Amino acid sequence: MGRRRAPELYRAPFPLYALQVDPSTGLLIAAGGGGAAKTGIKNGVHFLQLEQIKGRLSASLLHSHDTETRATMNLALAGNILAAGQDAHCQLLRFQTHQQKGKTKAEKAGCKEQGPRQRKGAAPVEKKSGAETHQERIELSVENLQAVQTDFSPDPFQKVVCFNHDNTLLATGGTDGYVRIWKVPSLEKVLEFRAHEGEIEDLALGPDGKLVTVGWDLKASVWQKDQLVTQLQWQENGPTFSNTPYRYQACRFGQVPDQPTRLRLFTVQIPHKRLRQPPPCYLTAWDGSTFLPLRTKSCGHEVISCLSVSESGTFLGLGTVTGSVAIYIAFSLQGVFLSGCCSCSVSGLLL
């Protein structure tokens, strides 16, 4: 699996930490910022329009939403509502798109002549049709909805947010180790329980209401509401030595292709401590109902920072702290693509 350099799609004026794609409009939503520090780096959510230009994918800025002093560090999407993790808070945003007929540059400038200037005796230039002179373009508006504090540790920070299958609830986790479940869009709290001793690193909600959480206490737990169902047993049966502690970095549910009623759970395990000669990281597939491990594969010595599953459940994407991206086949965990993406940690990844 050779490493390839990925072409640059878009360069934001601030560090990017979270990505989403709206399937109804095809918009790419990118968020981040410089935080509250007075460095001159702004905070915002950018809505990008994707299009093919000469066979290559290109992104253009459609709308920029200013988030003032708060950088968006994690992001979830439900229809046209975004849940943005900003410091210790979750901010809901609603965006709406509509088509508007745009004018040509000449019309905007108030120019009386349409088309190029004609020389004497030259044949008249054929007038362009309205479809050519008036282009349909998308306009977008964003409004802030409810916001709520979701983490209450001494140094509070929301690390992850996700919606349930019907977008009526969202779950948050952060540095205080508590899972909190909120109604959408009122953000009324309906459930709160301590899931881990220490930080929650990631969580995933399944369509049957089961919740998987992974934390810095080296545990991965499966919950039904606030009741512990089971804990994943990877270290006990995994390919590592007992003197090399690993922790779960990420978890995601994915569909089983051609079996829409079945799910797999995917997790990433990384060494709990950085070593001079780092041991490998691992990618594991689990049965989505029994939560027993199906297969585990080493995914290199670069520390994994994020995990993504394609909508069909066919592919997995991994990002690393050194800026590379890899794609794996979900069924076999076979690597099919490796790219040098950027010169810093990959914080968000979409397939």
Side-chain angles (χ1 to χ4, degrees):
M1 184 171 62
R3 184 187 295 266
R4 285 176 271 176
R5 184 70 181 177
E8 184 174 292
L9 183 65
Y10 177 74
R11 183 177 289 271
F14 47 73
L16 293 175
Y17 297 110
L19 295 172
Q20 289 291 334
V21 170
D22 177 21
S24 63
T25 62
L27 295 178
L28 174 63
I29 305 167
K38 297 180 179 179
T39 60
I41 300 176
K42 294 184 177 181
N43 303 296
V45 179
H46 281 189
F47 294 80
L48 308 173
Q49 191 166 7
L50 299 175
E51 56 185 342
Q52 290 277 355
I53 299 179
K54 296 182 179 179
R56 294 185 63 177
L57 191 63
S58 175
S60 57
L61 180 61
L62 182 65
H63 182 83
S64 175
H65 178 71
D66 185 6
T67 57
E68 299 179 352
T69 60
R70 291 177 176 174
T72 298
M73 304 300 293
N74 42 85
L75 200 61
L77 175 66
N80 67 338
I81 294 180
L82 288 166
Q86 299 171 351
D87 300 331
H89 295 76
C90 183
Q91 171 73 61
L92 293 188
L93 306 170
R94 178 186 285 127
F95 64 93
Q96 294 180 325
T97 60
H98 58 274
Q99 299 283 343
Q100 185 172 20
K101 185 172 288 189
K103 295 182 178 181
T104 64
K105 292 182 179 179
E107 289 173 320
K108 288 180 179 178
C111 179
K112 294 181 180 179
E113 292 183 71
Q114 297 295 321
R117 185 185 300 272
Q118 299 298 306
R119 298 192 308 270
K120 286 185 178 181
V125 175
E126 190 175 339
K127 290 185 178 181
K128 296 182 178 180
S129 67
E132 291 175 312
T133 58
H134 294 83
Q135 297 181 345
E136 294 290 332
R137 58 191 178 92
I138 297 176
E139 288 207 343
L140 186 142
S141 60
V142 181
E143 62 174 322
N144 291 327
L145 300 179
Q146 302 294 327
V148 67
Q149 185 171 350
T150 62
D151 193 83
F152 297 89
S153 65
D155 189 14
F157 184 71
Q158 178 184 298
K159 300 193 73 172
V160 60
V161 59
C162 70
F163 288 93
N164 68 341
H165 70 287
D166 61 2
N167 300 330
T168 58
L169 300 171
L170 65 84
T172 60
T175 55
D176 66 1
Y178 279 80
V179 168
R180 294 177 175 90
I181 309 295
W182 314 84
K183 287 184 179 179
V184 178
S186 67
L187 291 187
E188 175 188 348
K189 185 166 62 178
V190 297
L191 186 64
E192 176 183 51
F193 64 94
R194 185 157 198 168
H196 293 274
E197 297 292 330
E199 299 182 12
I200 293 176
E201 190 65 38
D202 200 7
L203 54 81
L205 274 166
D208 59 354
K210 286 190 174 65
L211 171 70
V212 179
T213 63
V214 301
W216 276 65
D217 56 3
L218 313 186
K219 295 178 181 179
S221 302
V222 182
W223 307 87
Q224 189 75 54
K225 294 186 176 179
D226 58 352
Q227 298 300 307
L228 180 64
V229 176
T230 187
Q231 289 185 336
L232 303 186
Q233 305 293 327
W234 179 82
Q235 184 86 15
E236 293 77 2
N237 303 306
T240 64
F241 297 104
S242 59
N243 61 352
T244 306
Y246 276 69
R247 65 177 175 87
Y248 297 87
Q249 171 68 12
C251 57
R252 289 289 184 275
F253 281 106
Q255 288 187 350
V256 178
D258 302 323
Q259 300 181 53
T261 60
R262 291 188 57 197
L263 289 176
R264 289 194 187 100
L265 175 70
F266 299 95
T267 63
V268 168
Q269 295 80 239
I270 66 173
H272 185 52
K273 295 182 179 179
R274 300 284 181 91
L275 303 175
R276 180 172 296 180
Q277 293 184 337
C281 298
Y282 290 93
L283 177 63
T284 301
W286 308 76
D287 186 283
S289 57
T290 65
F291 296 99
L292 295 175
L294 298 173
R295 58 188 60 85
T296 289
K297 174 126 182 182
S298 167
C299 47
H301 293 266
E302 296 181 63
V303 177
I304 305 301
S305 56
C306 57
L307 165 69
S308 179
V309 183
S310 65
E311 186 176 357
S312 65
T314 306
F315 296 104
L316 308 175
L318 297 179
T320 73
V321 298
T322 54
S324 61
V325 170
I327 297 176
Y328 290 77
I329 298 173
F331 173 75
S332 62
L333 303 186
Q334 177 184 352
V336 294
F337 178 82
L338 178 63
S339 172
C341 177
C342 53
S343 59
C344 56
S345 176
V346 178
S347 301
L349 181 66
L350 289 173
L351 288 177

